Amino acid sequence: MSLAWSPSSWQQRPAKQQVAYEDAGSLAKVIDEIGRLPPLVTSWEIEQLRGSIAAAARGDTFVLQGGDCAESFDDCRADPIAAKLKILMQMSLVLVHGTRKPVVRIGRIAGQYAKPRSADVETRGDVTLPAYRGDLINRDGFTLAERAPDPVLMLRAYERAALTLNFIRALTDGGFADLHHPEYWDISFAKGSPHADQYEKIVESIRESLDFVSAITGVENEVLRRVDVYTSHEALALPYEQAQTRTVPRRAGHYNLSTHFPWIGMRTAQLDGAHVEFHRGIRNPLGIKIGPAMTIDWLLGLLEVLDPEREPGRITLIHRMGADHVATALPPLLQAVQRTGHPVLWICDPMHGNTETTPSGIKTRRFDRISAELEASFELHAQLGSRLGGVHVELTGEDVTECIGGARGLHEGDLERAYKSRVDPRLNYEQALEMAMRIARHLRGR
Ligand code: PEP
Ligand code: CO
């Protein structure tokens, strides 16, 4: 059954959600070129993240994974990137305060450019064209030329990912997280937000604690001066992932150096499929999305294939059941994994099971449903003697109107005002911060 693994052995398996490139020569040339370019991340960063994920599974840290549903090439600009980093930092600060534990920040960033689609085509009026599949695959304009997959976009995606990561690294090394830089921590554009006061208090209290420690030790506190932000994306477009998968000196095995933390999406997790084949051979920690359609046998099969050695930190199960299904769908899977003793990290994606379409045809999510799934998940894990060790959210650092609800009470009529996502609706800046406060309250209560 099992074939010898190589970075391209996935090509022998049925691959869902892939596109057919017309020009095989051009595809081969792009893969070869990306393969010769430097890696985006390093194996030691990947190993460090694996350690942090193992710690989260033990309850010693908490994972915050968040970012766009789909990054766009247009948004590879200073402001949106800094805004995303800022909201991740601010959320993590709130979580640190609530949990009294380190928080591991993982962006859906620097490579989240390929999207699985439920429908292969999109129809507008009497025109039907291939669906938009993310900037790494095709363009979102509604013409045949724009919707045709173009392998050169993979190279553009690699470059945009590198530019994004370069900026993130510069900001995080350069004191972005220093609490004495008010420009990074203030929430002036959310002034008037019902949560502003509470947030200011949290920042002030952490700042005071740090100042106290440096006053008595005489050592500047480095903890929040330099921070780590890891990258993640759905490893969907396998030619792109293959091109960055390689061996490194003095370590065994292959690493996918396009990202620290790739995940397998719900639509491509078939046991005998190409995506599972690809992921089984790379050393990175892996995420697996699990929805209500997941079965016990399937899940245990995935764990067996992807992590036969049961290595701590290797597998993160990201459940996204929906507020209505989580109480029935999660416990059987959770208990089945518990019975195996597999040391997985559980995190909750409260976004993807709660997507709905308004009567006027806009894709949205309700803040209340998102919170409800999250809160139910914390409860269910606790009841079953397990632990929810992180969250996975779609968010932006900008003031968009894509999700309904939150303290400012966005409603359906507001959605048109600033709806920018090309795929799924994201929490805006204030909603994301509010979500962090709710999670922190929850964790604190435990
Ligand atoms: C996503 O994370 O954007 C996504 C498509 O998720 P899922 O595979 O869980 O539907
Ligand atoms: Co999404």
Side-chain angles (χ1 to χ4, degrees):
M1 244 277 288
S2 139
L3 38 127
W5 187 90
S6 78
S8 61
S9 59
W10 63 268
Q11 295 177 13
Q12 313 303 314
R13 292 283 172 89
K16 291 251 200 287
Q17 300 280 341
Q18 305 299 291
V19 288
Y21 290 100
E22 283 213 337
D23 183 351
S26 159
L27 174 64
K29 210 169 133 225
V30 164
I31 295 179
D32 181 59
E33 184 164 354
I34 298 177
R36 278 181 286 111
L37 288 164
L40 295 175
V41 303
T42 62
S43 61
W44 57 89
E45 292 166 344
I46 292 173
E47 289 299 335
Q48 191 181 322
L49 175 60
R50 179 213 293 277
S52 296
I53 291 177
R58 293 192 306 266
D60 296 337
T61 63
F62 191 78
V63 170
L64 170 65
Q65 185 179 18
D68 294 313
C69 180
E71 286 182 278
S72 76
F73 289 178
D74 284 349
D75 275 351
C76 184
R77 289 178 289 117
D79 288 349
I81 297 170
K84 243 175 280 175
L85 200 56
K86 185 170 157 181
I87 183 63
L88 280 178
M89 293 296 185
Q90 294 185 344
M91 289 176 82
S92 67
L93 190 77
V94 169
L95 293 172
V96 166
H97 189 255
T99 58
R100 301 289 192 261
K101 283 178 192 166
V103 169
V104 185
R105 288 160 289 257
I106 308 176
R108 287 175 61 115
I109 203 163
Q112 177 54 20
Y113 290 121
K115 297 307 298 174
R117 302 315 301 261
S118 315
D120 284 339
V121 293
E122 180 183 348
T123 301
R124 293 189 196 169
D126 48 13
V127 183
T128 296
L129 292 175
Y132 168 64
R133 291 179 175 275
D135 283 2
L136 183 146
I137 302 293
N138 58 5
R139 298 182 169 89
D140 80 331
F142 200 65
T143 63
L144 189 55
E146 287 165 294
R147 291 297 170 90
D150 176 359
V152 171
L153 294 175
M154 270 189 242
L155 196 53
R156 297 288 93 85
Y158 163 85
E159 292 159 355
R160 290 293 201 286
L163 294 169
T164 303
L165 198 46
N166 180 58
F167 189 47
I168 294 173
R169 291 188 192 281
L171 288 173
T172 52
D173 281 352
F176 189 83
D178 187 339
L179 279 177
H180 297 93
H181 282 185
E183 65 275 29
Y184 302 134
W185 295 104
D186 93 330
I187 49 171
S188 48
F189 97 67
K191 272 282 181 283
S193 149
H195 294 279
D197 280 357
Q198 199 188 342
Y199 172 79
E200 305 280 9
K201 281 192 196 118
I202 292 174
V203 175
E204 199 38 48
S205 131
I206 294 183
R207 197 180 281 142
E208 271 170 21
S209 314
L210 292 177
D211 287 349
F212 177 71
V213 172
S214 46
I216 55 169
T217 60
V219 184
E220 280 288 326
N221 198 309
E222 282 295 315
V223 176
L224 278 161
R225 184 145 296 174
R226 231 212 118 270
V227 291
D228 293 317
V229 175
Y230 295 100
T231 64
S232 69
H233 65 252
E234 178 173 352
L236 181 70
L238 293 174
Y240 177 80
E241 307 300 329
Q242 175 193 325
Q244 283 273 309
T245 296
R246 47 189 81 163
T247 55
V248 298
R250 291 181 295 284
R251 278 192 208 278
H254 284 73
Y255 287 81
N256 178 354
L257 300 176
S258 76
T259 188
H260 299 114
F261 184 52
W263 79 83
I264 305 178
M266 251 319 280
R267 295 166 186 78
T268 50
Q270 299 74 26
L271 262 177
D272 59 354
H275 290 80
V276 170
E277 171 62 18
F278 172 75
H279 285 86
R280 86 180 164 92
I282 58 173
R283 301 278 307 139
N284 307 55
L286 306 176
I288 309 172
K289 290 284 204 96
I290 60 176
M294 182 55 68
T295 64
I296 290 175
D297 286 349
W298 182 4
L299 182 56
L300 298 188
L302 287 169
L303 294 180
E304 194 48 45
V305 173
L306 294 169
D307 186 24
E309 307 296 329
R310 302 186 178 188
E311 290 173 75
R314 165 71 167 172
I315 301 286
T316 298
L317 296 176
I318 308 169
H319 53 81
R320 27 86 83 223
M321 301 299 181
D324 292 337
H325 302 292
V326 63
T328 47
L330 181 62
L333 297 172
L334 205 164
Q335 288 170 310
V337 174
Q338 278 177 321
R339 283 193 292 272
T340 67
H342 211 113
V344 302
L345 168 66
W346 293 94
I347 75 180
C348 173
D349 163 1
M351 312 297 290
H352 287 88
N354 295 306
T355 315
E356 55 184 279
T357 305
T358 65
S360 53
I362 304 175
K363 226 179 179 192
T364 191
R365 291 164 174 155
R366 289 170 199 277
F367 190 87
D368 286 350
R369 314 292 294 154
I370 297 169
S371 300
E373 176 163 1
L374 207 46
E375 276 162 26
S377 298
F378 276 115
E379 288 301 333
L380 290 163
H381 278 277
Q383 279 165 20
L384 297 171
S386 172
R387 180 184 294 111
L388 188 65
V391 293
H392 176 121
V393 281
E394 287 185 343
L395 55 79
T396 159
E398 294 165 87
D399 186 20
V400 301
T401 54
E402 299 172 5
C403 292
I404 293 174
R408 220 182 264 273
L410 281 188
H411 44 85
E412 234 174 277
D414 296 315
L415 295 181
E416 317 247 0
R417 181 162 60 77
Y419 197 104
K420 296 190 190 155
S421 176
R422 290 194 191 154
V423 189
D424 290 339
R426 302 160 295 177
L427 296 175
N428 66 21
Y429 181 83
E430 280 184 30
Q431 290 168 330
L433 202 57
E434 183 175 352
M435 185 62 61
M437 295 200 183
R438 288 198 181 205
I439 299 167
R441 256 201 313 272
H442 233 272
L443 290 168
R444 195 121 199 218
R446 302 206 168 275

